[in-house]
Amino acid sequence: MPCTLGTFGLWLLLILTVSLVAEMRTLVTPSNGLRPKMSKDNDSAASTNSSLMDRQQRSFILPVEANTSLSKPVDTKAVLSCPPITQKAVLVTIRWEIILRDKPSCTRAYRRDTNETRAINCSDETISWDSRPDRNPALQIDPVAITHDGYYRCEVVTSHGHFSHGYHLTVLVSPEVTLFQLENGATMCRAAAGKPAAQISWTPGGDCHTVEEPLGNDTVTVQSSCRWENHWVSNVSCSVSHLTGNRSLSIELNQGVIVLGFPPSTLLIVLYVKFSLFLVILVIVGFIYFQRIKDCSPFFDVQALLTPESPGRDASSPGQNLLIHYTAY
């Protein structure tokens, strides 16, 4: 009897356990009638929140930063503009970041709510606002100097987002061009203190040699010397190409320039041969000249001088006759 009651109790406990597990699964999984209603309410709220977040994100998307390479001649005025601000946008702040070589970064900023401008590490008075920042946030450099090479970046914050634009500024210096002839017969064309280095070409072309000499202030002097061998040249032109403009100079060479393509030893031999030929010709011409004098003169009787004295002839007569003839001649 006790064993029978024990077995019955175990079966009863097993049935109660299975029933409890089935009831719990039913509670965890909602019924088909309630679930669609709850899902619709949750999906509607999630869709509303998602659309609001999308609109907020779209209004604060940062555009891709634009960069421009800009070249300006020295001693001119440069104006750097910020990204345009639409009429519906409300300006918040403007910030210019100026990065020059071998100098600390300079920052110029404007805040609209307090109508305040600030400058941090900015000691160059030639760099300033072009006008009132709230009307035109452009930056001006007047005048442009070699030291203004660098990067300039404008950041604009409005109610529609953040916008920026950068400038890589390169300062140009026009070279001083001269053309002259050297004592050794070569012609020199010089483009002094240009930025960047100039390029030199010749008309007509010849045997030219070009060198560049960097200076301490980022400028470069370019010198080109030229010779014209085995050609008769009376006029040459030097053309200088540069970003600030091209120039061309011409020069008349002294009675033209002709350079023989011989080494110095060969030239000496040629001169020696020419001088020897000149002496030979001079001797021949002199001999012919004196021979003609001998043959054509009726008074210059050399044979009479060499003939011995004949009897009955005065010994002094030949000398006297010669003197008389020479005086008459």
Side-chain angles (χ1 to χ4, degrees), residues 279-300:
L279 289 179
V280 172
I281 294 173
L282 183 62
V283 170
I284 294 175
V285 171
F287 177 78
I288 294 174
Y289 176 76
F290 285 107
Q291 188 66 32
R292 289 177 62 87
I293 291 177
K294 172 186 174 183
D295 295 339
C296 298
S297 176
F299 305 103
F300 193 81

Side-chain angles (χ1 to χ4, degrees), residues 96 98 104-109 118-125 127:
W96 274 100
I98 304 169
S105 175
C106 164
T107 301
R108 292 185 179 273
R118 295 183 59 189
I120 303 174
N121 292 331
C122 300
S123 58
D124 194 340
E125 297 181 355
I127 303 177

Side-chain angles (χ1 to χ4, degrees), residues 6 8 45 57 70 73 108 118 120 132 138-139 151 161 167 193 218 241 250 255 261 269 274 302 315:
F8 178 76
Q57 290 179 354
L70 182 64
R108 292 185 179 273
R118 295 183 59 189
I120 303 174
R132 290 179 52 180
L139 193 71
Y151 181 69
Y167 296 90
D218 294 336
S241 301
S250 300
Q255 299 179 353
I269 295 175
K274 288 183 176 181
V302 179

